[in-house]
Amino acid sequence: MSVEELLEFLRRLRSEDPSYVRGEVLGSMTTEPLKHLLEAYNIFVNTNLNDPTLFRNTYRLELECVEWLSKLMYGGGYGLLTYGGTESNLTALYILREFSGGDTVIAPKTAHVSIKKACRVLKLNLVEVGVDEDYIPDIEGLCSTIRRYEGRVACVVMTAGTTDLGIVEPVDKLVSTCGDVNYVVHVDAAYGGLITQFINDLDPNIPVYDFRLSKVYTITVDLHKIFTPIPCSALLLRSKELEEFIMFEAPYMPLGKQRSLLGTRTGGIAATAWLAIKSLGYEGFKQLVHELVKRADYLSSRLVDLGVEVLRRHRLPIVTFRVSNARDVMRRLWGLRMYLYPTSIPNTLRVVVGPHITYEVIDRFVGVLAKVLNK
């Protein structure tokens, strides 16, 4: 077969999978990337962020992206770009294990599965703490657990934008309640990081979770959640000192060392992140996020009008709702090419409102859901 025939075969394969463009992907936190962001990725795809001596401009793009993201989080501009929230979380826990010397991670049960993965890989003891009926972490329980493991805590993990409900967990309340104990916090803001900082005017009660809190040492922020092509994430650090824990000797490299747990890191992620930041800017991100919140509000109201229970939502554009026999309902919806996701909450399903989820897509989904529920 010729290259063109093979490419056509790949196009056909892709067309059989769920499509963002057709509004079929309802549960994923990712979206259809804009063409100019893909072009930026391709321009720098053959450069290596871990070779800043050879690819100086690539490294410069990364530094500018990290500086911009860090400023959003009231940080000093330290950190690096990664291939996703899982790598960012793994790297953060590695850094904080080395920094603190602790062997225990404390986290609410709502922590993302990548935290469990990281603890398993790093051989860290994970202690999970419960949540209340509104799925908010038990702060007193967290505090007593921190005290119980004092001297052994590698870090406490909190989430800004939980997977099931998009809840921004009250890191500020944890710090004010348990600020006299020696521990540090990693915030997994993979989903919520580039949303919450732009919607404080919509909800001034969103908890503070960034570097304004002295206990917060590392923050994960994903750009490929509703913005850029996959993969594109960032791990932001409180200080330059923390970067030293991920500097590894590499005599075969011009610099003699590498930064990050990975070896080669394509400069494509820096280029696409840089272009997204420069082309949208603060106001562009804000307008986009506000629009997504409006669409999520519209979806919630349509579901309520349908008689469907919508679970508590914290302004982030995640809409989780409860139906009887959720797995069967999901199976029927998938059969109609409406691909939403289940959650860990019994009999609930989740829609993540990304840029590809238009009002037309919402109306079509609600109409199909109504027919499925009637059956």
Side-chain angles (χ1 to χ4, degrees):
M1 297 175 71
S2 67
V3 170
E4 185 51 46
E5 287 173 321
L6 292 168
L7 287 171
E8 184 55 36
F9 175 72
L10 290 175
R11 294 186 191 100
R12 189 165 66 251
L13 282 182
R14 179 62 187 93
S15 70
E16 293 172 1
D17 277 346
S19 167
Y20 292 96
V21 176
R22 295 193 296 265
E24 297 170 348
V25 182
L26 300 167
S28 174
M29 289 180 172
T30 55
T31 190
E32 180 74 11
L34 297 173
K35 288 183 179 179
H36 63 274
L37 297 182
L38 284 173
E39 184 176 353
Y41 187 95
N42 287 333
I43 292 171
F44 279 82
V45 71
N46 61 349
T47 65
N48 182 4
L49 286 171
N50 265 345
D51 191 351
T53 306
L54 190 62
F55 301 108
R56 294 179 182 178
N57 288 326
T58 308
Y59 181 54
R60 172 189 163 195
L61 294 179
E62 179 183 31
L63 292 180
E64 289 189 20
C65 292
V66 169
E67 183 178 7
W68 191 86
L69 293 167
S70 183
K71 186 177 179 181
L72 275 183
M73 300 294 167
Y74 299 87
Y78 307 110
L80 72 160
L81 297 180
T82 71
Y83 281 8
T86 296
E87 185 198 338
S88 292
N89 288 338
L90 173 64
T91 306
L93 266 58
Y94 172 79
I95 290 172
L96 297 180
R97 185 192 72 177
E98 299 300 293
F99 171 77
S100 67
D103 64 358
T104 299
V105 171
I106 299 169
K109 291 183 177 179
T110 45
H112 189 259
V113 65
S114 62
I115 299 300
K116 298 179 178 68
K117 285 183 185 179
C119 288
R120 183 172 173 181
V121 169
L122 297 170
K123 298 190 182 303
L124 289 165
N125 176 37
L126 176 62
V127 179
E128 294 183 302
V129 177
V131 296
D132 64 19
E133 64 277 5
D134 289 322
Y135 303 95
I136 305 297
D138 175 8
I139 297 299
E140 292 296 335
L142 278 169
C143 196
S144 63
T145 304
I146 293 168
R147 294 183 189 281
R148 185 162 67 251
Y149 286 90
E150 189 171 5
R152 293 180 54 192
V153 180
C155 70
V156 178
V157 176
M158 298 287 275
T159 306
T162 57
T163 305
D164 288 342
L165 292 169
I167 290 172
V168 180
E169 296 179 334
V171 185
D172 49 2
K173 187 176 180 181
L174 171 66
V175 172
S176 64
T177 303
C178 204
D180 59 328
V181 187
N182 185 26
Y183 67 95
V184 296
V185 176
H186 167 60
V187 179
D188 178 7
Y191 178 70
L194 275 182
I195 298 176
T196 54
Q197 304 298 68
F198 297 103
I199 59 172
N200 290 319
D201 55 335
L202 298 179
D203 187 357
N205 296 318
I206 293 176
V208 173
Y209 63 83
D210 51 41
F211 290 123
R212 284 174 288 181
L213 302 173
S214 61
K215 295 287 189 183
V216 174
Y217 272 53
T218 53
I219 302 175
T220 290
V221 180
D222 278 6
L223 289 97
H224 65 221
K225 298 284 197 295
I226 72 174
F227 294 115
T228 67
I230 305 167
C232 193
S233 176
L235 174 61
L236 307 175
L237 307 174
R238 171 169 286 279
S239 67
K240 182 71 173 177
E241 174 193 8
L242 295 175
E243 288 190 354
E244 293 303 313
F245 291 105
I246 49 171
M247 297 296 291
F248 296 93
E249 184 179 345
Y252 64 93
M253 297 296 291
L255 191 62
K257 55 186 177 181
Q258 288 185 331
R259 186 174 63 122
S260 82
L261 297 182
L262 301 186
T264 304
R265 294 185 296 134
T266 175
I269 62 174
T272 192
W274 184 89
L275 184 55
I277 289 168
K278 293 295 184 180
S279 59
L280 280 174
Y282 184 90
E283 288 303 319
F285 272 102
K286 184 175 181 178
Q287 290 175 20
L288 176 57
V289 168
H290 278 222
E291 176 59 27
L292 297 181
V293 170
K294 282 175 58 179
R295 295 181 198 177
D297 288 339
Y298 177 71
L299 172 58
S300 295
S301 65
R302 289 295 316 273
L303 290 172
V304 170
D305 290 343
L306 198 62
V308 172
E309 178 190 358
V310 176
L311 275 66
R312 188 175 183 212
R313 193 164 66 79
H314 282 247
R315 301 309 305 179
L316 275 67
I318 292 179
V319 180
T320 303
F321 58 95
R322 180 175 281 118
V323 291
S324 299
N325 303 314
R327 286 284 178 173
D328 186 50
V329 170
M330 187 181 78
R331 180 179 59 81
R332 291 172 180 270
L333 287 169
W334 277 45
L336 297 168
R337 299 191 71 84
M338 291 282 179
Y339 300 98
L340 71 174
Y341 281 21
T343 81
S344 62
I345 303 168
N347 280 322
T348 59
L349 300 172
R350 184 195 74 181
V351 174
V352 179
V353 180
H356 62 285
I357 306 295
T358 63
Y359 291 103
E360 292 76 16
V361 170
I362 292 170
D363 287 339
R364 186 165 70 250
F365 165 67
V366 173
V368 172
L369 177 64
K371 292 178 182 179
V372 169
L373 293 178
N374 285 335
K375 289 182 180 180

